[in-house]
């Protein structure tokens, strides 16, 4: 069973101070830590678990700048067999990234393609499902469980309100993976060192025979901080004082 | 300009709230463009839905087919594709939901319509669609322009647009023949799976002590459980806590978990992703404890404490026991 996993390197913004670039087109990224997109980590782990059951090969694929190699190394350390980095078309949007991925994927045999449901940074949730359409194969998004049997996959999709649906889908297919589908495995330093010996191929857009189309479907005109609107009343003072106020609030609201 | 289409989302015999949220937006976009809007209803035995929708939309297009009883992106895409070819809508709107996320990107490629997902704002400027999206975990908004096109697809974030209630409209119901010739083999719906409830029902709690990944690790959970007991409440959590198996799924507050409205919602180490906020913003009083002053949770909370929870919770636990 040959599985391709498409991954993305993203900046971690959850606990960081965010500044906006002078041209207002994006946030400043030089002060941020980058990592493998959380959803993609689950997808890589799922691919490795399937490989342990069915044998075959796990190939990770990314479209991104030179620095993306560090997340490919992490994927290799997680158990992927080889990695490919494709030069990033600039500018790009989700559709163009899907087309770039398709160009490379079309050249080899595969049984299954996994992506994360969405990327932590811009959260479009578009690439996996668009990729399936470009490749002309079926897809299922927001997948929380995969069971493979005889050229078909029984997958569970996450719906709203705690509900899930069970689907049967013919392979090859694209599945976009939801967080929590498996238990991430600790990646040891030894595994990372070993991963550096595994094959990582680098390809330019010219080499894959892809010339980006213009204009893009979607372009960011500007970014801005959201309007503050209603803000919480921040309790101030020493921890003791703050908790004192908090206790009063709880007492009052509990009784109301 | 041609009509704006709204794809009606329904499941297990109910129209989903997101559909009514889209109606309000579709109406204002249609007014802006001097056009009208149409609700597109695909399903099986959906006559009662059509009546309900016709009181809110000037036109309801209905396709009845037993193969459309449950959502299946392949069959929905085929059906919508043929409707789009026939009616050439300028814009197709649907929810950024399990429904829209499985359908919009592939339909957009097939029809070569630019797609914008998870919108919190949408407008036409000189015939081109412009959207506002919330990115980087809600810390920044982006204004997005789509290229010129005869048609667009947009998915809308749930819980953002005010729902449209029953109007005085008497919309037309138009039945269309189904373009489907049976089901498909490549993707088949089998069944729904309900989440089992084994513990306490968090939707019934008056006080929720809700924890997020900011608590760092499962070793702190007993402390929060004890706090919840002392407050006479229950422990709940955000998605990452369930993903990491620190608490079971039934404790999750969020779009994919439970919607809660307690008297007091105490959010600790929760950043405030919209999937979470949508499901708890109806609480009477929201108190957030987070060390990041810019965390989006402070925009929904009534009271906030900007500090590490470890400086606050142990003291709170003591004070609460004094309270009794």
């Amino acid at each position: 069973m040959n599985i391709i996993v498409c991954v993305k390197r993203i900046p971690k913004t959850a606990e960081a101070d965010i500044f906006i670039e002078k041209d207002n087109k994006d946030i400043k990224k030089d002060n941020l830590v980058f990592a493998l997109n959380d959803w993609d980590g689950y997808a890589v782990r799922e691919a490795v678990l399937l490989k342990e059951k069915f044998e075959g090969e796990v190939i990770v694929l990314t479209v991104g700048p030179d620095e993306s190699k560090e997340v490919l190394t992490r994927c290799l350390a997680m158990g992927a067999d080889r990695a490919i980095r494709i030069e990033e078309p600039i500018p790009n949007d989700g559709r163009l990234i899907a087309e770039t991925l398709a160009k490379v994927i079309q050249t080899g045999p595969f049984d299954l393609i996994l992506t994360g449901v969405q990327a932590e940074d811009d959260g479009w949730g578009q690439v996996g499902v668009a990729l399936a359409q470009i490749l002309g194969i079926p897809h299922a998004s927001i997948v929380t469980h995969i069971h493979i049997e005889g050229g078909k996959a029984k997958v569970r999709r996450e719906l709203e309100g705690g509900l899930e649906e069970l689907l049967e889908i013919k392979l090859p297919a694209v599945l976009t993976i939801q967080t929590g589908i498996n238990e991430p495995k600790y990646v040891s330093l030894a595994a990372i060192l070993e991963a550096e010996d595994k094959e990582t191929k680098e390809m330019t857009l010219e080499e894959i025979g892809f010339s980006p189309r213009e204009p893009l479907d979607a372009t960011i005109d500007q970014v801005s901080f959201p309007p503050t609107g209603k803000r919480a009343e921040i309790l101030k003072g020493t921890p003791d004082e703050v908790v004192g106020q908090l206790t009063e609030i709880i007492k009052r609201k509990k009784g109301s | 300009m041609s009509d704006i289409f709204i794809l009606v989302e329904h499941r297990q015999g109910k129209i989903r709230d997101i559909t009514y949220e889209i109606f309000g937006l579709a109406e204002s976009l249609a007014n802006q463009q001097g056009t009208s809007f149409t609700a597109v209803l695909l399903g099986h035995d959906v006559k009662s839905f059509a009546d309900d929708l016709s009181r809110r939309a000037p036109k309801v297009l209905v396709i009845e087919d037993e193969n459309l009883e449950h959502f299946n992106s392949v069959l929905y895409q085929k059906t919508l594709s043929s409707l789009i070819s026939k009616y050439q809508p300028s814009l197709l709107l649907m929810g950024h939901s399990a429904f829209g996320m499985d359908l919009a990107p592939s339909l957009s490629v097939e029809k070569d319509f630019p797609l914008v997902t998870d919108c919190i704002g949408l407008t036409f400027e000189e015939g081109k669609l412009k959207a506002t999206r919330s990115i980087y975990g809600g810390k920044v908004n982006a204004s997005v322009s789509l290229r010129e096109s005869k048609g667009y697809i947009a998915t809308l974030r749930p819980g953002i647009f005010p729902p449209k209630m029953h109007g005085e409209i008497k919309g037309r119901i138009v039945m269309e023949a189904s373009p489907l010739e049976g089901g498909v083999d490549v993707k088949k719906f089998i069944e729904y799976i309900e989440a089992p409830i084994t513990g306490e029902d968090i939707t019934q709690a008056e006080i929720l002590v809700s924890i997020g990944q900011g608590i760092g690790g499962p070793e702190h959970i007993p402390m929060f459980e004890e706090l919840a007991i002392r407050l006479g409440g229950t422990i709940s959590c955000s998605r990452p806590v369930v993903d990491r198996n620190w608490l079971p799924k039934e404790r999750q507050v969020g779009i994919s978990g439970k919607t809660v409205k307690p008297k007091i919602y105490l959010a600790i180490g929760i950043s405030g992703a919209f999937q979470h906020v949508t499901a708890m913003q109806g609480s009477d009083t929201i108190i957030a404890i987070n060390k990041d002053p810019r965390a989006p949770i402070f925009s929904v909370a009534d009271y906030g404490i900007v500090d590490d929870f470890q400086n606050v919770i142990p003291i709170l636990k003591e004070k609460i026991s004094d309270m009794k």
Side-chain angles (χ1 to χ4, degrees), chain A residues 16 26 121 124 133 139 141 157-158 160-161 164 166 168 170 179 217 219 221-222 224 232-233 235 256, chain B residues 77 98 102 117 136 139 141 143 145 147 186-188 190-191 193 239 243 255 263 292 298 302 304:
Chain A
D26 203 353
D121 51 2
W124 276 83
Q133 179 72 28
H139 70 263
S141 61
R157 287 189 69 225
E158 179 182 285
E160 288 81 13
E164 295 192 315
L166 182 66
E168 188 179 86
K170 251 195 185 157
T179 54
D217 278 6
T219 311
D221 294 331
Q222 60 160 348
S224 57
E233 178 188 335
L235 308 180
S256 67
Chain B
Q77 188 174 329
D102 210 44
T117 63
Y136 294 116
K139 289 201 164 177
N141 282 353
S143 311
S145 279
R147 72 168 159 87
V186 291
K187 191 175 186 179
K188 276 190 210 157
I190 299 175
E191 62 178 344
I193 301 166
R239 162 153 218 136
D243 284 346
I255 289 181
K263 270 190 178 173
D292 178 3
F298 289 120
D302 301 291

Side-chain angles (χ1 to χ4, degrees), chain A residues 37-52:
Chain A
N37 176 37
D38 200 25
W39 277 271
D40 301 346
Y42 284 95
V44 172
R45 176 79 182 130
E46 193 64 19
V48 171
L49 290 171
L50 287 170
K51 183 193 133 169
E52 282 170 8

Side-chain angles (χ1 to χ4, degrees), chain A residues 11 13-20 26-27 29 38-39 42 95 117-118 120-127 129-131 133-134 138-142 144 152 154 156-170 178-184 213 215-228 230-236 239-244 246-247 249-256, chain B residues 9 11-12 16 71 73-74 77 96-99 101-103 105-110 112-118 130 133-147 185-195 206-207 214 230-232 239 243-245 249 255-258 263-264 266 275 285 287 289 291-295 298-307 311-312 315-316 319-320 323:
Chain A
T13 52
E15 287 183 0
D17 287 330
I18 301 295
F19 304 97
I20 289 173
D26 203 353
I27 58 168
K29 291 182 179 159
D38 200 25
W39 277 271
Y42 284 95
R95 172 91 181 268
V117 167
Q118 64 189 54
E120 281 172 68
D121 51 2
D122 61 7
W124 276 83
Q126 176 185 13
V127 170
V129 174
L131 174 64
Q133 179 72 28
I134 297 166
H139 70 263
S141 61
I142 329 179
T144 56
K152 282 179 188 164
K154 276 196 177 154
R156 281 198 213 168
R157 287 189 69 225
E158 179 182 285
L159 309 174
E160 288 81 13
L163 193 68
E164 295 192 315
E165 64 180 8
L166 182 66
L167 300 176
E168 188 179 86
I169 190 162
K170 251 195 185 157
Q178 180 59 301
T179 54
I181 187 175
N182 50 45
E183 207 153 320
R213 164 182 57 73
L216 293 173
D217 278 6
T219 311
I220 291 185
D221 294 331
Q222 60 160 348
V223 300
S224 57
F225 290 113
T228 38
K230 192 199 100 174
R231 285 284 293 176
E233 178 188 335
I234 301 294
L235 308 180
K236 298 225 161 77
D240 256 319
E241 292 163 358
V242 164
V243 174
L246 178 59
T247 319
I249 293 167
I250 291 175
K251 260 192 221 168
R252 208 168 65 227
K253 300 292 178 184
K254 204 178 159 181
S256 67
Chain B
E9 186 169 328
R11 182 182 297 137
Q12 294 178 308
R16 301 189 53 75
F71 173 74
S73 69
V74 177
Q77 188 174 329
H96 193 68
S97 56
F99 206 91
M101 290 171 81
D102 210 44
L103 174 64
S106 48
L107 184 62
S108 136
V109 170
E110 185 193 335
D112 196 26
F113 282 4
L115 166 69
V116 58
T117 63
D118 196 17
K130 298 214 170 200
R133 305 181 71 249
S134 167
I135 58 175
Y136 294 116
K139 289 201 164 177
V140 173
N141 282 353
S143 311
V144 178
S145 279
L146 300 192
R147 72 168 159 87
D185 279 343
V186 291
K187 191 175 186 179
K188 276 190 210 157
F189 170 88
I190 299 175
E191 62 178 344
Y192 292 114
I193 301 166
E194 307 271 354
E206 288 208 340
I207 297 179
R230 287 191 188 186
L231 283 167
R239 162 153 218 136
D243 284 346
R244 285 163 181 74
N245 280 330
K249 177 88 184 166
I255 289 181
S256 62
K258 299 276 166 50
K263 270 190 178 173
I264 300 175
L266 182 59
Q275 292 92 339
T285 300
I287 305 164
I289 302 174
K291 63 183 177 192
D292 178 3
R294 295 224 177 117
F298 289 120
S299 303
V300 67
D302 301 291
Y303 302 96
I305 295 174
V306 181
D307 200 350
N311 296 332
V312 179
I315 309 178
L316 179 62
K319 289 225 164 146
I320 292 294
M323 218 165 94

